Amino acid sequence: MQETGENFSYRGNGSDLFGIYIVNILLTVITFGIYYFWAQVKVRRYLFQNTAFMDEPFDYHATGKERFIGFLKGIGIILLLYACFFFINAFVAAAFGPFFVPIISMLVILTVMAVGIPFLKVGKQRFLLSRTSWRSLRFSFTGNPTELMKIYIRGILLSIITLGFYSAWLVCQQQKFLTENSSYGSEKFSFSGKGEDLLFIFIKMMLLAPLTMGIYYFWFLAEFIRFKINHTSIQGKKLNSTFNGGQVLWLTLSGIVITFLTLGFGLPWVINRVMDSLISSISLEEPLDLSVIKSTHDSRGSALSDGISDASDAIGAILGG
Amino acid sequence: MKAKVFDGISPVEQEWDISTGSSALYCTGPGRMQVKISRREITRIEEKSAFIRIHTIPVLPESSGLLIEVRDPASLRELKSTLSGMDNHTLSGRIRSMGRRKRILALIILLVISAAFWRAILTEGYRLIPHEADLYLGRMAMKQAESMGRVYDDPSLTDILEKVSPGAKKNGIKIHMMANPMVNAFALPGGDIIVCRGLVKESRTPDELAGVIAHEAAHVELRHNMQQIVKNTGISILVILTIGSGFDQAETAETLAEISGMLINLKYSRTFEEEADRLGAEKLNRAGVSPEGLARFLEHLPEQKGLLISYMSTHPESSKRAKTLRSLDRTGDKNGLIMPVREWIEFKKRNR
């Protein structure tokens, strides 16, 4: 069955989002911060439910409870990692002398980052998509973190050797990994972006940004967003975005002015305007054939990765404070 | 009533018949398939003026849950009354049935309680932290301080400290000189006070220097460093939690959080300075030294252009502080010199 209306649209408004924002602040203060996780879910759900494709809204099904449990588990894991780190340092200092402590510390940190970042990224993506639906059918993510780890290690080494030029291919490979392991029901997404095309965009930015005193950066940002969206397709039908640099510049400048003049209370309007401009610029070149899409619900997505990120932010705030 | 349904198996829209019971919805799907949905199976209800959307747990095999949407005005009324009846058994339903006035009252009471809690944490939370933590931080800060200039001891400084703060040494408070031209003195967590040579150079009389030392000793006794750490942390967490509530990806929220935190911290720094002035003046009075010296030194400070910009930014206005210090002078005619003139000249020579 073919359906019409292949444009994306955003229907949210600043005052509704402001209402959510104020209630979130009150409840977060009252509950000594615990409501923070429910607050995040509420805002994300509002943004998703007001984003529509083919006139049907998306939905976000995560719950504050699972985010909070993920956070508690994350705190446990981070503290365990800290404890292991100090134990290893103490052991190295006792066994081999203090000279080796900084070397081993650096190796441990690099290993944790090399393993941890891909696992966190995959976990977050998996949780986000497994809790996102459109027409009551869930999205899913099936990427393997070890594959992403290989992309990062190879990409970072080659980027160093090529004085950064390979980073365009690294970004493309990462985007391909994230997109092609994402599905809507049984339908997989695909990504056709090429490193050489992205390199051209990067070089243009490097040449034009200094000449325009940085103003070109806004056009680069829009082109980069378009590159990611316009090379994504589903059922062989391409997504298309018309988001442009002028919009990014205007949204950034007006957003800064609104936020600071209203002492932060205008933030919901700023976010709403960004969402409206970005989402409304996207369309699919042809309507989706919905009749061939079936459910493949991924029940394994967990809030642990989000929890670890939240926990490390919280511990960072305490140590940094 | 007719409802638009997505069955969670396929994204294709379907039309189902829904009838309401006292504690469940009875749904008839394609091929006369019957599904009974109880309140426990409903995960979320979106109630707007134009429509009601009901989300359920997976009630069909291979489904990720039903989405039932009703838009017909007559059906909406019927469905709303059924759902509110079903909702009386849940906590959120009971809260909703409390009525607007009672809900607002409960919210205000909770806000007052939580404000009192946050205030207690910010102002008194440091008492829960053992003194060992101050010592640990002090050792780290001392390493940092040593990179700013040679740190050494001078017996005259120790004498002044013992006079304005008797028993300081016994209580673990130590004073050191730093070979640094800054016109500054600072107290580290744990009890080390550092006086920069620039400050000695700018002090015109021994009681000016004694005033500064009494002020720093007061910072140590009041554990202002630890109080500041607890307040900074608490404020950062509170501001990030509130301003950033939900907008986890918004960098603007983070910037705002930092700015607000910085402004609040500035206010706290000034309060600490005023507290240290008051306790410092008390110490000076007990030692028979007039706080007039510290007052004069503070008034002299703004003349040191360029050197004190950072110092002044966290301190209250010097003239106001000097006025307060003079009002706290209880020495009267008993004002004595803290150090003989000859020793003062020698001390200044040693620490040029």
Side-chain angles (χ1 to χ4, degrees):
Chain A
M1 190 174 74
Q2 298 276 308
E3 303 216 10
T4 54
E6 58 272 22
N7 286 334
F8 283 76
S9 59
Y10 182 73
R11 305 156 173 177
N13 66 67
S15 43
D16 284 350
L17 195 54
F18 180 71
I20 293 173
Y21 180 59
I22 287 296
V23 173
N24 277 351
I25 289 179
L26 287 177
L27 292 177
T28 305
V29 172
I30 285 171
T31 57
F32 313 122
I34 292 171
Y35 190 75
Y36 182 70
F37 305 96
W38 280 262
Q40 282 188 324
V41 165
K42 255 171 94 174
V43 171
R44 192 168 279 182
R45 184 172 294 151
Y46 177 84
L47 298 178
F48 278 43
Q49 286 182 341
N50 284 288
T51 301
F53 173 59
M54 291 168 71
D55 294 330
E56 282 296 336
F58 287 80
D59 206 345
Y60 184 60
H61 300 270
T63 63
K65 189 177 159 190
E66 64 183 347
R67 291 288 318 269
F68 181 56
I69 292 170
F71 170 76
L72 293 180
K73 287 180 186 168
I75 285 272
I77 290 172
I78 298 270
L79 290 179
L80 193 69
L81 283 174
Y82 269 113
C84 288
F85 183 70
F86 283 112
F87 175 75
I88 290 170
N89 274 357
F91 174 75
V92 170
F96 307 104
F99 175 77
F100 291 97
V101 172
I103 302 164
I104 299 294
S105 294
M106 192 51 72
L107 281 175
V108 171
I109 290 170
L110 285 176
T111 312
V112 169
M113 277 171 67
V115 176
I117 291 172
F119 269 86
L120 280 183
K121 207 163 178 75
V122 166
K124 278 166 96 84
Q125 187 76 355
R126 184 168 205 169
F127 179 66
L128 174 69
L129 291 189
S130 71
R131 300 300 186 269
T132 304
S133 75
W134 180 66
R135 291 174 163 248
S136 202
L137 209 67
R138 300 286 177 105
F139 289 77
S140 61
F141 184 77
T142 51
N144 188 337
T146 50
E147 203 184 318
L148 187 58
M149 203 189 319
K150 281 181 205 159
I151 291 172
Y152 281 161
I153 291 171
R154 190 180 56 228
I156 289 167
L157 287 176
L158 286 172
S159 294
I160 293 168
I161 293 167
T162 60
L163 304 174
F165 283 99
Y166 189 78
S167 60
W169 279 266
L170 169 60
V171 172
C172 273
Q173 282 167 8
Q174 181 194 269
Q175 193 59 30
K176 195 174 172 69
F177 170 81
L178 292 175
T179 308
E180 298 199 339
N181 285 297
S182 300
S183 311
Y184 170 61
S186 54
E187 207 65 59
K188 277 200 173 284
F189 287 87
S190 60
F191 183 76
S192 59
K194 296 268 183 295
E196 51 269 33
D197 297 334
L198 188 58
L199 182 66
F200 179 64
I201 294 170
F202 283 174
I203 289 173
K204 251 196 321 186
M205 195 271 285
M206 282 188 277
L207 293 174
L208 293 176
L211 288 177
T212 56
M213 290 186 296
I215 294 173
Y216 183 77
Y217 181 74
F218 298 100
W219 273 260
F220 158 74
L221 209 61
E223 198 173 4
F224 186 49
I225 292 170
R226 282 202 310 273
F227 177 83
K228 286 189 187 176
I229 295 173
N230 295 355
H231 288 95
T232 301
S233 54
I234 183 166
Q235 289 184 341
K237 294 151 191 168
K238 276 191 170 179
L239 284 171
N240 178 49
S241 169
T242 54
F243 201 45
N244 62 57
Q247 281 176 292
V248 181
L249 178 65
W250 170 239
L251 287 169
T252 307
L253 294 181
S254 56
I256 290 169
V257 171
I258 293 170
T259 309
F260 282 91
L261 285 184
T262 59
L263 298 172
F265 286 104
L267 197 60
W269 279 271
V270 174
I271 290 179
N272 224 51
R273 293 171 74 229
V274 173
M275 287 292 290
D276 191 15
S277 299
L278 181 63
I279 301 293
S280 310
S281 78
I282 307 172
S283 60
L284 190 70
E285 61 180 4
E286 280 175 55
L288 273 182
D289 180 2
L290 298 175
S291 61
V292 297
I293 303 174
K294 295 282 170 248
S295 156
T296 52
H297 180 46
D298 174 20
S299 58
R300 288 178 298 169
S302 100
L304 183 59
S305 296
D306 276 356
I308 292 173
S309 293
D310 288 335
S312 60
D313 284 351
I315 290 170
I318 290 167
L319 295 180
Chain B
M1 68 185 82
K2 296 284 179 202
K4 181 167 99 176
V5 173
F6 293 109
D7 62 6
I9 301 169
S10 154
V12 178
E13 184 181 321
Q14 300 171 8
E15 192 177 78
W16 288 26
D17 279 315
I18 312 282
S19 59
T20 54
S22 60
S23 60
L25 298 176
Y26 299 92
C27 312
T28 309
R32 305 193 66 76
M33 173 183 60
Q34 301 280 329
V35 181
K36 180 187 165 196
I37 299 167
S38 66
R39 182 63 187 90
R40 267 189 314 119
E41 288 162 327
I42 296 175
T43 52
R44 195 153 32 96
I45 301 165
E46 290 172 61
E47 222 178 286
K48 303 275 173 193
S49 55
F51 64 84
I52 291 180
R53 274 201 204 108
I54 299 166
H55 301 261
T56 76
I57 58 165
V59 287
L60 299 173
E62 301 296 313
S63 164
S64 49
L66 294 183
L67 168 58
I68 302 164
E69 185 181 300
V70 175
R71 281 184 178 267
D72 168 52
S75 308
L76 273 181
R77 274 192 298 274
E78 186 190 337
L79 190 57
K80 267 182 193 168
S81 96
T82 305
L83 291 173
S84 69
M86 287 162 79
D87 233 10
N88 286 340
H89 307 290
T90 64
L91 178 65
S92 55
R94 276 190 218 131
I95 291 172
R96 267 198 292 274
S97 67
M98 271 169 70
R100 195 182 166 85
R101 203 173 281 179
K102 276 188 183 169
R103 270 186 287 164
I104 292 174
L105 189 67
L107 193 68
I108 292 170
I109 292 169
L110 284 170
L111 256 179
V112 171
I113 294 170
S114 60
F117 171 84
W118 280 107
R119 193 182 153 74
I121 287 285
L122 292 178
T123 55
E124 303 298 325
Y126 75 97
R127 292 184 198 276
L128 302 171
I129 297 169
H131 185 62
E132 282 69 27
D134 298 51
L135 294 173
Y136 176 73
L137 289 174
R139 280 196 294 273
M140 291 205 300
M142 184 57 104
K143 275 185 196 160
Q144 187 72 24
E146 280 166 346
S147 68
M148 293 161 66
R150 185 170 64 88
V151 175
Y152 58 96
D153 292 347
D154 187 296
S156 300
L157 270 187
T158 313
D159 278 354
I160 298 176
L161 176 67
E162 272 303 319
K163 279 176 189 158
V164 296
S165 190
K169 198 176 172 186
K170 209 173 77 187
N171 293 326
I173 305 175
K174 286 170 277 176
I175 192 160
H176 317 277
M177 185 69 77
M178 182 194 273
N180 187 304
M182 273 198 306
V183 187
N184 206 355
F186 44 90
L188 302 181
D192 285 299
I193 296 170
I194 293 182
V195 178
C196 296
R197 270 187 188 170
L199 189 131
V200 174
K201 195 180 161 197
E202 287 302 322
S203 304
R204 290 161 301 183
T205 57
D207 51 349
E208 285 189 4
L209 178 63
V212 174
I213 291 173
H215 173 90
E216 295 305 326
H219 274 313
V220 172
E221 271 182 35
L222 295 167
R223 289 179 80 191
H224 278 161
N225 280 306
M226 191 49 84
Q227 285 199 48
Q228 187 81 44
I229 290 168
V230 171
K231 276 173 182 163
N232 283 0
T233 311
I235 289 164
S236 303
I237 292 172
L238 184 61
V239 175
I240 290 169
L241 282 176
T242 51
I243 294 185
S245 271
F247 301 124
D248 47 341
Q249 302 302 323
E251 282 174 22
T252 326
E254 213 164 282
T255 313
L256 276 170
E258 278 167 14
I259 293 171
S260 329
M262 199 179 75
L263 291 175
I264 298 168
N265 283 332
L266 215 59
K267 191 218 156 232
Y268 276 125
S269 301
R270 291 189 179 134
T271 309
F272 289 154
E273 291 309 315
E274 282 161 8
E275 276 180 19
D277 277 350
R278 282 179 189 279
L279 183 60
E282 219 174 276
K283 284 175 176 294
L284 291 166
N285 281 325
R286 277 202 297 263
V289 177
S290 171
E292 173 65 27
L294 180 56
R296 263 189 282 114
F297 187 74
L298 289 171
E299 284 171 338
H300 177 56
L301 277 179
E303 293 162 25
Q304 316 301 315
K305 284 179 187 137
L307 287 171
L308 291 158
I309 293 165
S310 63
Y311 184 85
M312 294 304 293
S313 62
T314 52
H315 288 53
E317 206 184 320
S318 294
S319 58
K320 198 178 143 198
R321 288 176 69 189
K323 199 175 158 191
T324 311
L325 284 164
R326 285 192 178 107
S327 74
L328 294 168
D329 189 352
R330 304 276 176 270
T331 51
D333 297 335
K334 291 176 207 159
N335 183 14
L337 272 179
I338 198 149
M339 184 190 279
V341 178
R342 184 183 292 272
E343 192 185 333
W344 172 246
I345 294 167
E346 283 298 314
F347 169 72
K348 291 242 319 176
K349 258 190 205 166
R350 275 202 306 276
N351 297 294
R352 263 198 293 223

